[in-house]
Amino acid sequence: MSKRKIGIIGAGYIGSLHATVLARDERVEVIAVHDAISDRAEKLARTIGATVYMSAGELIEVSDAVYIATPNTEHTELALAGIRAGKHIFCEKPLATSLDDARLILEAASQRESVFQVGFNRRFAPVYRLLKEMLTETPPHSAHVKMNRGELLNPAWVGDPRLTGGFLYETTIHMFDLLRFLFGDIICLDVAGSMHEYTEMDDFSCLLRFASGMHATLASSADASWMFPYERIEVFCHHATIATREAERITASHAVDGRYMTQTMQQLSKEEKWGYWQEDRAFVDAIIADRPAAVTVDDGFKAVELVDACYRAARTNERIYCK
Ligand SMILES: NC(=O)c1ccc[n+]([C@@H]2O[C@H](COP(=O)([O-])OP(=O)(O)OC[C@H]3O[C@@H](n4cnc5c(N)ncnc54)[C@H](O)[C@@H]3O)[C@@H](O)[C@H]2O)c1
């Protein structure tokens, strides 16, 4: 079978990471790169032997599947163009930066047979896969969660809400998706948000309730310094605690005598530890097997819904109920 042709739009950090991972998958060939800054496209294209296209439209035309790896507010138009051209799409998170845009993509993608995957890589990270597996044997009662960033300075656009949609769309959306993946649907949120270092709300404390009856706290700060670990999930079960430390390590205590076990993922490469390698394989698997993506456009939409609800709760100081 001939190799599937992949085009990458956005030759920055994550576009280059996907291109490098895909270059090792013999079922595909990254043939095309486009970036608003042509030097960046040329640099990436040189390293993987691809051709630079000066417009996104031309790249979409020559590709079977398209990766969208541009800043957040640039996703909608590109995703819609790719869907309408009948191409398979891998869209980096967030799917979009407003409910209206997310709905447009959801509706357009739902009318097509092609694969649409959203870049929630943490669902594939071994540490979170293992946590999910442990939770099937030890049902969770509650959780205490954090997801921080050290700053919103690098790359420069992450501090510009006109390009990110806001800190929650840029960073915390990963955790909203992961919490759905681990614990099921969130039914309501109480949120306090405040503004300190940037021109937007940059610190949040949330109380989340789930359809299962479980509840969780989520803290997310954009100016926390890069003190490791930036993200951590502690789950409390029947006389048990399971805690993750970044994507590095998981520790579980299932006894009341203080004994615990730790499993580390430190030996894995960054791409595998964070699930990038697995998510790219899963995207190609779905294309070849002609089946839905492992992380669907609906998952992308629901994460946008949660971020939107979180901002509304923080702005109004009211409890927001999710549909
Ligand atoms: N899943 C993850 O873990 C993860 C990690 C990092 C970034 N991301 C997401 O990936 C996207 C890109 O982030 P990044 O860190 O790679 O940013 P980046 O700044 O490193 O790269 C973005 C690239 O897009 C180019 N660009 C901007 N507008 C464009 C347009 N309209 N058309 C074509 N090219 C355009 C820029 O010139 C730049 O080279 C963002 O949506 C971000 O949220 C996801």
Side-chain angles (χ1 to χ4, degrees):
M1 188 179 289
S2 63
K3 293 187 178 196
R4 308 300 161 112
K5 295 184 220 140
I6 309 254
I8 309 253
I9 305 179
Y13 168 72
I14 205 75
S16 304
L17 190 151
H18 286 301
T20 315
V21 170
L22 290 163
R24 300 203 302 263
D25 188 334
E26 60 204 17
R27 302 168 298 169
V28 299
E29 189 179 359
V30 181
I31 56 142
V33 180
H34 166 68
D35 194 289
I37 300 173
S38 57
D39 284 358
R40 290 197 186 167
E42 272 156 29
K43 188 171 165 212
L44 177 60
R46 252 196 319 274
T47 61
I48 52 170
T51 303
V52 172
Y53 285 81
M54 297 314 283
S55 81
E58 285 173 276
L59 175 142
I60 291 170
E61 212 175 298
V62 298
S63 307
D64 298 319
V66 177
Y67 273 66
I68 298 172
T70 54
N72 305 347
T73 49
E74 307 286 314
H75 292 179
T76 301
E77 204 181 306
L78 294 166
L80 289 174
I83 294 166
R84 285 172 186 150
K87 307 298 169 141
H88 305 293
I89 305 289
F90 183 103
C91 182
E92 261 306 338
K93 46 55 68 171
L95 177 65
T97 53
S98 72
L99 265 182
D100 285 348
D101 279 2
R103 196 170 287 112
L104 277 179
I105 301 175
L106 175 69
E107 283 167 6
S110 306
Q111 288 163 15
R112 298 280 180 163
E113 297 293 308
S114 39
V115 176
F116 194 107
Q117 185 166 320
V118 181
F120 286 127
N121 53 295
R122 280 164 178 74
R123 285 185 179 226
F124 301 88
V127 93
Y128 292 127
R129 287 271 157 153
L130 183 55
L131 172 58
K132 190 166 168 65
E133 199 181 303
M134 285 178 171
L135 292 175
T136 58
E137 283 153 31
T138 318
H141 298 167
S142 64
H144 185 48
V145 181
K146 82 162 176 189
M147 176 169 252
N148 287 346
R149 267 190 73 106
E151 32 70 14
L152 293 180
L153 302 172
N154 186 26
W157 67 266
V158 297
D160 182 350
R162 288 167 306 178
L163 289 173
T164 60
F167 167 61
L168 297 179
Y169 280 108
E170 174 46 28
T171 297
T172 323
I173 196 161
H174 271 300
M175 195 50 83
F176 279 117
D177 177 68
L178 190 60
L179 294 178
R180 276 193 66 236
F181 175 66
L182 292 170
F183 306 131
D185 281 333
I186 293 170
I187 53 168
C188 75
L189 310 87
D190 293 279
V191 179
S194 52
M195 192 163 103
H196 305 276
E197 300 302 323
Y198 301 102
T199 56
E200 57 170 312
M201 273 195 254
D202 47 23
D203 273 80
F204 294 84
S205 300
C206 317
L207 177 60
L208 313 172
R209 292 169 209 270
F210 293 78
S212 65
M214 183 194 158
H215 46 89
T217 55
L218 167 64
S220 194
S221 165
D223 58 347
S225 89
W226 290 115
M227 194 180 94
F228 196 85
Y230 325 125
E231 68 187 64
R232 178 177 173 80
I233 299 181
E234 285 178 89
V235 192
F236 311 114
C237 316
H238 177 67
H239 291 151
T241 294
I242 309 170
T244 62
R245 185 177 159 83
E246 208 77 8
E248 302 273 322
R249 177 163 111 190
I250 186 163
T251 300
S253 172
H254 287 98
V256 287
D257 60 5
R259 276 180 297 151
Y260 62 88
M261 63 68 98
T262 292
Q263 191 162 328
T264 176
M265 310 294 169
Q266 263 165 316
Q267 71 284 5
L268 301 178
S269 67
K270 177 179 85 177
E271 289 78 9
E272 239 184 299
K273 194 161 41 186
W274 285 101
Y276 296 118
W277 185 85
Q278 300 90 323
E279 72 174 348
D280 286 337
R281 299 288 303 189
F283 179 55
V284 178
D285 289 347
I287 293 171
I288 288 174
D290 195 16
R291 63 171 189 239
V295 186
T296 63
V297 65
D298 195 50
D299 293 318
F301 180 78
K302 292 210 163 94
V304 170
E305 262 189 334
L306 287 169
V307 167
D308 180 76
C310 193
Y311 275 123
R312 274 189 291 137
R315 285 181 190 128
T316 60
N317 271 323
E318 281 174 16
R319 174 173 295 173
I320 300 289
Y321 291 89
C322 308
K323 279 172 255 150

